Amino acid sequence: MSATQFSSELRGQYKAKAYSATSSSSPLAPTIIPRRDPGEDDVQIEILFCGICHSDLHQVRNEWSAMPTVYPCVPGHEIVGRVTKVGSAVTRFKLGDLAAVGCMVDSDRTCSECQDDVEQFCPNMTLTYNSPDVHLGGSTYGGYSDSIVVKEHFVLSLPPNLNLAGAAPLLCAGITTYSPMRHWGVTKGKKVGVVGLGGLGHMAVKFAHALGAYVVVFTTTANKRDDALRLGADEVVVSRDAEQMRKHVGSFDFILDAVSAEHDINAYIRLLRRDGNITLVGAPPKPLPISAFGLLFKRGSLSGSIIGGIAETQEMLDFCGKHNITADVEVIPMQKVNEAYERLLKSDVKYRFSIDMASIKSK
Ligand code: NAP
Ligand code: ZN
């Protein structure tokens, strides 16, 4: 595919290597995409690692009716790399610095959400991929690429002590689990459940443990037990075992549900104590039925949460730097991405794929 198929002539641009999907049923394949030449408040980043989020798979396969996919789609929103160019107005980054980009690359910066540092709720927020690209026309393209150009405000600083491959997933899996835990007051003395030990779930366990909570992991995969304990869980429950589930009825302050597919959320609502909260971060394509009575009889609440604001993302990265927290990753070359998607669907990854972007340059 040639770059001209993607581009408009609105401003200067250069060519970048990437992997894109051209339809919901086609595999990801090498392509060339345009990136804008950095403007005065832009940072150009050579991408070193990009995590594979289950959202990439949902989006590439057009599984979300609420967020239809525009093709070609270049996914990837767990990006770490090195700064290769900065615009004249950039103050926080210089050539050679480490830099990171998550799920957002722009917002209006004027609305009340932006002023409250929760850009993820801005009505004019631009996602890293599959959002309209105001600079070049077409859609924004994500991190399965050798470089990206992003407004300085949306570029994060990485603590220097973190392993880069393991740090990439912090930019989505990390902030998505850290933010609701901070919002709902996860601290020492709280009993916290994590449902689904995947990319998000394993980060949730690490954060809940670091925040001092008593952590129980709910998994459908009995052989993840030892890993869950090693990651920081105090107890592990195989969720298909009704007897194990019964022991926890009415006892949780907070439960984070990070499951990517259809499942019975009422089984977890039952486990909340009075005024307990269950927050959904998983985004299964189909609606989940909720039993009202499960919530009524304990004044329970069910919430959703999506990533986190830029200031809180930086706070999370600094917290990870201080506590030496990164994702457990399997590093793969870009060429293995389609195989990785199939394995992700089978929960066959411990616990996040991280693409070594040096591989995209080798072809
Ligand atoms: P993942 O690595 O595939 O993990 C999902 C986990 O869910 C699996 O490891 C598995 O855990 C469990 N699971 C899978 N299928 C299941 C089923 N049929 N029944 C019960 N449990 C099942 O995915 P991820 O990258 O962590 O993402 C999880 C979800 O969060 C996705 O829907 C993704 O789109 C969404 N997400 C949301 C946000 C946000 O901002 N809200 C951000 C990122 C991702 P066990 O093997 O332990 O059972
Ligand atoms: Zn994600």
Side-chain angles (χ1 to χ4, degrees), residues 26-336:
S26 55
L28 289 149
T31 189
I32 300 292
I33 56 167
R35 296 288 194 193
R36 68 178 184 268
D37 289 332
E40 61 176 17
D41 57 358
D42 284 335
V43 178
Q44 182 181 328
I45 299 163
E46 176 195 13
I47 300 175
L48 299 176
F49 291 94
C50 184
I52 297 181
C53 179
H54 206 116
S55 300
D56 298 347
L57 188 154
H58 289 308
Q59 194 79 69
V60 160
R61 298 190 178 177
N62 202 11
E63 291 177 350
W64 289 328
S65 53
M67 287 174 72
T69 308
V70 177
Y71 296 97
C73 173
V74 177
H77 55 208
E78 296 185 333
I79 298 166
V80 299
R82 255 185 215 289
V83 174
T84 47
K85 244 184 217 176
V86 290
S88 55
V90 169
T91 56
R92 290 187 299 119
F93 294 93
K94 58 179 189 329
L95 233 68
D97 282 353
L98 289 173
V101 178
C103 303
M104 301 180 283
V105 289
D106 209 352
S107 68
D108 62 31
R109 310 280 306 279
T110 54
C111 72
S112 57
E113 311 293 5
C114 288
Q115 277 164 13
D116 285 349
D117 285 331
V118 283
E119 299 91 341
Q120 73 271 33
F121 304 124
C122 168
N124 299 307
M125 183 260 285
T126 303
L127 290 165
T128 304
Y129 63 86
N130 204 54
S131 273
D133 183 338
V134 296
H135 303 280
L136 296 180
S139 290
T140 52
Y141 297 129
Y144 295 9
S145 173
D146 60 0
S147 81
I148 193 164
V149 176
V150 178
K151 261 192 192 165
E152 179 182 24
H153 180 75
F154 292 86
V155 182
L156 289 305
S157 297
L158 268 185
N161 57 316
L162 298 181
N163 168 273
L164 290 182
L170 300 177
L171 277 300
C172 175
I175 185 59
T176 300
T177 51
Y178 180 86
S179 179
M181 287 200 203
R182 298 287 285 159
H183 182 79
W184 290 98
V186 168
T187 49
K188 196 168 164 49
K190 301 282 175 166
K191 185 173 175 184
V192 170
V194 175
V195 187
L197 195 67
L200 265 56
H202 94 291
M203 288 311 309
V205 174
K206 291 187 186 206
F207 286 134
H209 177 74
L211 292 167
Y214 185 87
V215 188
V216 182
V217 165
F218 295 92
T219 179
T220 56
T221 316
N223 63 19
K224 287 184 181 173
R225 189 189 152 75
D226 290 348
D227 281 350
L229 295 172
R230 175 181 55 77
L231 292 164
D234 297 286
E235 268 184 70
V236 182
V237 171
V238 177
S239 51
R240 290 183 173 132
D241 182 332
E243 190 45 44
Q244 284 188 44
M245 292 290 280
R246 221 178 341 262
K247 283 188 196 147
H248 292 275
V249 167
S251 66
F252 281 88
D253 297 289
F254 177 74
I255 298 177
L256 192 80
D257 183 332
V259 174
S260 54
E262 260 176 287
H263 62 290
D264 180 17
I265 191 173
N266 300 298
Y268 300 99
I269 291 174
R270 236 170 267 140
L271 307 188
L272 294 175
R273 57 184 295 166
R274 172 173 54 81
D275 291 326
N277 171 269
I278 180 162
T279 292
L280 269 178
V281 285
K286 290 199 187 136
L288 301 169
I290 308 289
S291 153
F293 284 88
L295 292 168
L296 301 184
F297 275 96
K298 53 174 62 110
R299 199 163 52 192
S301 63
L302 164 65
S303 308
S305 189
I306 190 155
I307 49 172
I310 291 297
E312 194 175 45
T313 305
Q314 190 62 59
E315 176 193 309
M316 178 274 309
L317 288 171
D318 296 343
F319 182 88
C320 288
K322 191 170 159 211
H323 296 268
N324 211 11
I325 292 174
T326 51
D328 287 23
V329 290
E330 177 177 339
V331 177
I332 58 161
M334 189 72 250
Q335 293 76 6
K336 294 246 176 186

